[in-house]
Amino acid sequence: MTPSDKIIPFDRLRQWRDGLRKENRRLVVTNGVFDLMHRGHAEYLAQAAALGDALLVLVNDDASVTALKGPSRPILPQEDRAFLLAALECVSAVSVFPGPQATEALRRSAPDLYVKGGDYTPETLNRDEFQALQACGSQIRILPLVPGCSTSSLVARIREEGRTPGDGAATARELDKRLQPIFRRRSIRAFLPREVEQREIGLLLEAAMAAPSAQACYPAHFLVLTDPREREAVSRVLPHGAFLAKAPLGILLCGDLEKSCHKALSYLVQDCSAAMENLLLAASMLGLGACWLGVHPNEDRVKALREHFRLPENILPIAAAALGWPGETKPPRTNYQPEQVHVNLW
């Protein structure tokens, strides 16, 4: 059987599934974009195949990949992505499905076991897809991700290697690769209509709280804005933050003056700024986009947000961040200004 023989047209998927039932074979199904195959994909698919008699991989079509990941994706067209998957020995069949959700494809394939990567949990699966699986009586298994394997980071590395300087950009060869996460961090103000999962939110907050704090007081607090109405409310307070209303996630960073070192405002602002920078760098490293929006020391903004969220007197809103999967691409850069560096004397 050639790889092409293993690619099942979407309209024949139910018929193919009926054939497996007649042979009493246990079907494992997974789905995804699979744009630029890497070792993590191969290990994940091999583990999934070992759980049944046949492995079906459902692949997003090109239009849905663009909707999910932005105008620069997919890198490979759906025909190529399907062929590469079908060429793997562990994969029994591949089918390309239309639309951003695999709900109808799951209904047609009716898996005995549905497998997803470790960046998901049963609770964070798409609700329509989850209900389709329940209706089919499918079991669900979450497999761990392979550390260090990411299509997004691979794409970023390829693009950076090919860049030429311009408009403040710099090639990866000019910038020390050890510092790439810092140079890649850019202010992103356009986002895809894709939810930021709870796992990523948790990692962002962990990174923010790992920032240094004067005398280890850690006065920073984080209001996580998952409700679009709350993001809209904050955006109305910030003159340059209208895009926050369209971002999938917002975080309002506040500081507790009672917990600040010596209860000093200056230490509070420094601690919160360090936490915000950590959060932005973590977003970049996770493939997310983010933009820092200033609140303090503008008294009108501070007062409006204090009133809206009913903050205690000792809690001071310092800054906000709009976050999400980036809908725009910006090259890495360093804004190094040698004339602003002074050694030993001014």
Side-chain angles (χ1 to χ4, degrees):
M1 180 178 288
T2 68
S4 296
D5 296 329
K6 294 161 71 173
I7 299 175
I8 312 299
F10 187 68
D11 58 3
R12 290 183 52 206
L13 191 54
R14 200 183 300 274
Q15 178 183 353
W16 177 84
R17 177 63 175 107
D18 290 340
L20 283 185
R21 284 199 185 90
K22 291 177 182 178
E23 297 173 5
N24 199 29
R25 297 174 66 189
R26 176 176 169 82
L27 176 62
V28 180
V29 173
T30 191
N31 68 283
V33 170
F34 298 100
D35 191 20
L36 290 190
M37 291 284 291
H38 53 67
R39 177 175 177 170
H41 289 138
E43 289 197 24
Y44 167 77
L45 292 171
Q47 292 177 39
L51 299 173
D53 303 312
L55 172 63
L56 167 67
V57 182
L58 301 171
V59 182
N60 290 82
D61 68 1
D62 289 347
S64 66
V65 175
T66 299
L68 290 168
K69 296 186 176 292
S72 63
R73 302 285 295 275
I75 302 297
L76 298 177
Q78 61 195 46
E79 295 82 7
D80 291 3
R81 291 183 283 123
F83 188 92
L84 289 170
L85 285 163
L88 296 176
E89 183 179 359
C90 63
V91 175
S92 304
V94 179
S95 186
V96 178
F97 65 89
Q101 296 178 10
T103 308
E104 181 57 29
L106 292 173
R107 290 194 186 105
R108 296 187 184 196
S109 59
D112 297 298
L113 178 66
Y114 177 71
V115 173
K116 202 69 175 170
D119 49 346
Y120 286 88
T121 68
E123 292 73 29
T124 60
L125 291 176
N126 177 273
R127 289 299 91 186
D128 289 340
E129 294 177 357
F130 182 76
Q131 291 171 8
L133 291 167
Q134 284 190 316
C136 297
S138 306
Q139 295 179 314
I140 298 173
R141 177 78 64 87
I142 305 297
L143 296 181
L145 294 176
V146 178
C149 294
S150 163
T151 296
S152 296
S153 61
L154 181 61
V155 169
R157 283 173 54 197
I158 293 171
R159 286 176 173 159
E160 287 161 12
E161 288 293 338
R163 293 192 194 280
T164 56
D167 299 326
T171 66
R173 293 184 185 89
E174 293 172 321
L175 304 176
D176 193 307
K177 291 185 178 181
R178 292 170 295 179
L179 301 179
Q180 283 298 313
I182 292 176
F183 299 135
R184 283 199 304 266
R185 190 224 59 78
R186 300 292 304 274
S187 293
I188 300 298
R189 297 175 176 84
F191 304 96
L192 300 177
R194 176 184 170 193
E195 182 181 355
V196 179
E197 302 289 351
Q198 189 60 47
R199 178 175 179 273
E200 277 83 17
I201 296 175
L203 291 171
L204 291 170
L205 295 175
E206 282 190 50
M209 293 183 191
S213 172
Q215 294 191 9
C217 291
Y218 300 107
H221 287 254
F222 304 84
L223 263 173
V224 181
L225 309 176
T226 57
D227 188 331
R229 293 170 297 183
E230 298 301 335
R231 295 193 295 274
E232 170 69 28
V234 176
S235 73
R236 289 198 299 268
V237 174
L238 306 177
H240 304 292
F243 57 91
L244 174 60
K246 298 181 180 179
L249 176 67
I251 292 179
L252 179 63
L253 175 58
C254 302
D256 185 345
L257 278 165
E258 292 296 322
K259 288 187 65 177
S260 179
C261 180
H262 303 309
K263 299 185 179 180
L265 176 60
S266 60
Y267 280 124
L268 180 77
V269 172
Q270 291 178 67
D271 285 358
C272 288
S273 296
M276 177 63 83
E277 183 67 8
N278 265 29
L279 187 145
L280 297 181
L281 289 172
S284 175
M285 295 167 76
L286 292 171
L288 293 163
C291 187
W292 185 332
L293 294 162
V295 175
H296 178 81
N298 185 287
E299 293 183 3
D300 291 339
R301 300 176 198 177
V302 170
K303 181 175 183 292
L305 293 176
R306 263 186 165 158
E307 290 177 354
H308 178 80
F309 290 107
R310 300 179 182 178
L311 301 178
E313 280 300 313
N314 57 301
I315 301 298
L316 182 66
I318 299 294
L323 301 112
W325 300 101
E328 59 180 333
T329 303
K330 295 183 178 181
R333 70 175 182 184
T334 170
N335 287 321
Y336 182 73
Q337 305 290 334
E339 68 274 12
Q340 294 178 220
V341 178
H342 313 278
V343 180
N344 296 324
L345 297 174
W346 186 264

